[in-house]
Amino acid sequence: MNETLVSLLSDAGLTPRGEPQALSGGDIAEVFRLATDQGEVVVKHDDPERLAGEADGLRALRGAGSGLIVPEVLGEDQGYLVMEALAPGRSSGDEASLGEGLRRLHSVTGDAHGWPRDNACGRTPQPNAPLADGRAFQRERRLLPLAEACQTRGLMDARLRRRVEAIAHGLEAWLPDAPASLMHGDLWSGNVLFSPQGPAIIDPAVYRHYPEVDLAMLTLFGSPGESFFEAYWNGGAPADWPRRETLFQLYPLLNHLLLFGGSYRGAVERTVSRLETA
């Protein structure tokens, strides 16, 4: 076992029992489950800056008092992150509990959109330098940098980039500014787990922004059930939710285009077209 990991475990008061066992789904980072004298832990091995950003996000989510389960960070150093392992388990009210917890999380707001440090969404660096206006943040920190990166890598032509830029520069015409909510930041269905203690969220890319960003990510590759939305909206869904959902799915689709290639170009183009005609 790597000496850095052994030292990190020792600092956390943990003694390993056997060797780390690889877990599936580690396409961005290496992920392992490890037995210790105090129970199982999860170990990640990745770029130190990405892991530091993840650890920072986990601590912020745990401190928000949302009622959602967030793994405790047990140690982080030199490209290793050691976290509490969560056991699987479901109950009939899990989706409603997820909606309620996410609503409480999003009720924690800050003065500006962004975060004190940059982090990453997958392997993509995510700039978070704060801006007072949410429209400006979505434009300057999300849509424009990803459109530029996609064109630079030959994944997007100049015409499609101009269309994305036009959407980004037109946000003030229809999207009101809003308080900056604490968000998970990469809340696709694979980052939601159900444990005996309740719904859990993992692998964050935390920042403060429009709360619908998390919802749009949840519905991008599927959708939680009606009970989730009833609990989340609590009678207060914005009238333009479909348009916001489409807008806030554009950034993760651009990121998928950047990370995984041209198979996502069609989804980006369809999303752009829907926003142009909304």
Side-chain angles (χ1 to χ4, degrees), residues 25-183:
D27 55 338
I28 302 298
E30 294 179 290
V31 186
F32 306 91
R33 187 175 287 267
L34 175 65
T36 79
D37 60 337
Q38 297 188 43
E40 290 192 329
V41 297
V42 170
V43 178
K44 274 189 152 182
H45 185 216
D46 194 12
D47 175 79
E49 282 299 312
R50 279 201 294 268
L51 287 184
E54 180 175 344
D56 172 64
L58 289 168
R59 294 184 182 106
L61 294 176
R62 278 183 64 88
S66 69
L68 297 172
I69 306 301
V70 180
E72 181 182 1
V73 174
L74 302 174
E76 177 258 317
D77 190 33
Q78 298 185 51
Y80 284 94
L81 173 61
V82 180
M83 298 170 286
E84 171 190 12
L86 301 178
R90 293 206 61 154
S91 65
S92 59
D94 276 342
E95 288 199 336
S97 296
L98 177 63
E100 291 166 1
L102 203 59
R103 174 162 48 84
R104 287 192 292 266
L105 176 66
H106 292 162
S107 72
V108 179
T109 59
D111 295 332
H113 295 254
W115 196 244
R117 64 177 297 155
D118 294 344
N119 48 34
C121 192
R123 289 189 299 270
T124 303
Q126 187 164 255
N128 291 323
L131 290 170
D133 189 292
R135 284 84 53 97
F137 184 87
Q138 180 66 200
R139 176 171 52 251
E140 303 297 334
R141 305 288 189 258
R142 296 294 178 260
L143 298 181
L144 297 187
L146 263 288
E148 179 182 10
C150 286
Q151 188 190 13
T152 298
R153 295 195 189 179
L155 298 166
M156 173 186 293
D157 60 25
R159 181 175 179 273
L160 181 55
R161 178 180 174 183
R162 287 194 298 270
R163 293 169 67 194
V164 173
E165 290 173 339
I167 289 166
H169 287 291
L171 294 178
E172 282 82 354
W174 67 273
L175 183 65
D177 196 14
S181 293
L182 179 63
M183 303 188 321

